[in-house]
Amino acid sequence: MPHVEKDEVVRNILERLISISGRKTDKVYAVMTMESLIKDLQPQYSFLKNIQISEDLYTEDAVTTVSLRSTFQDVTATDLGRALHAIIFQLNRSLGDRAGHFFIKELRNTLDDDYLTTMREMGVDLGLMQLFDFAPFILVATILRSWYLIC
């Protein structure tokens, strides 16, 4: 099975996160939110300072480019996975409950199996993230249904 390099995973995931959240909110807001999240997580994950996001907002296509100032190959898979998980989790929370559930599903559906496998090897399982994100709704629905049946 082909292995995806860490640099490519980071670049691709961040670009997709910006693209998906930009469709659910606004492109400028999505870029600003991503930059803010990365900055906020830098104390825990110093390697995130090597990420640069640039966007040409004045073109019709408004392409967002994520570039890396240095390689992520020396960063452990576990640390990189934790950082990606934190970014996805925080961005998901910023979108709200309803959009957030579909956000993770859309991200998972847009990635090739090679990326998903590499992410799982890093400790990031989008399927589990989606399940646990939706779990509170299931719990509330179950409690309400039980309460309704009792009354």
Side-chain angles (χ1 to χ4, degrees), residues 99-126:
H101 172 70
F102 295 105
F103 174 77
I104 293 176
K105 181 179 180 180
E106 186 174 349
L107 175 63
R108 194 177 79 192
N109 289 341
T110 62
L111 293 170
D112 293 334
D113 288 339
D114 295 340
Y115 282 92
L116 294 172
T117 300
T118 302
M119 288 179 67
R120 274 193 296 273
E121 290 170 359
M122 293 177 178
V124 180
D125 189 329
L126 294 175

Side-chain angles (χ1 to χ4, degrees), residues 12 14 52 62 72 85 93-94 102 105 114 148:
N12 197 332
L14 294 181
Q52 181 177 353
F72 280 77
H85 186 278
R93 288 286 157 233
S94 74
F102 295 105
K105 181 179 180 180
D114 295 340
Y148 178 74

Side-chain angles (χ1 to χ4, degrees), residues 12-150:
N12 197 332
I13 295 299
L14 294 181
E15 286 177 354
R16 287 175 192 252
L17 288 171
I18 292 168
S19 174
I20 294 167
S21 62
R23 285 195 307 272
K24 297 191 180 304
T25 58
D26 173 83
K27 191 75 166 183
V28 175
Y29 177 78
V31 170
M32 288 175 25
T33 302
M34 181 61 71
E35 289 173 336
S36 176
L37 284 173
I38 289 171
K39 184 178 178 183
D40 291 346
L41 291 170
Q42 283 178 7
Q44 293 128 312
Y45 309 104
S46 60
F47 53 86
L48 292 178
K49 71 180 180 291
N50 296 318
I51 296 173
Q52 181 177 353
I53 301 171
S54 58
E55 181 175 18
D56 185 2
L57 296 172
Y58 302 106
T59 64
E60 191 172 307
D61 296 337
V63 177
T64 301
T65 305
V66 174
S67 56
L68 308 177
R69 293 187 194 112
S70 68
T71 184
F72 280 77
Q73 297 311 317
D74 296 334
V75 177
T76 66
T78 304
D79 286 344
L80 192 54
R82 287 180 182 151
L84 286 174
H85 186 278
I87 290 169
I88 294 167
F89 180 81
Q90 293 296 334
L91 192 58
N92 184 35
R93 288 286 157 233
S94 74
L95 294 173
D97 292 332
R98 183 175 161 89
H101 172 70
F102 295 105
F103 174 77
I104 293 176
K105 181 179 180 180
E106 186 174 349
L107 175 63
R108 194 177 79 192
N109 289 341
T110 62
L111 293 170
D112 293 334
D113 288 339
D114 295 340
Y115 282 92
L116 294 172
T117 300
T118 302
M119 288 179 67
R120 274 193 296 273
E121 290 170 359
M122 293 177 178
V124 180
D125 189 329
L126 294 175
L128 287 177
M129 285 182 78
Q130 184 181 4
L131 177 66
F132 286 117
D133 185 57
F134 198 59
F137 296 112
I138 295 171
L139 179 62
V140 169
T142 304
I143 291 170
L144 289 175
R145 183 173 176 265
S146 298
W147 180 76
Y148 178 74
L149 293 174
I150 293 171

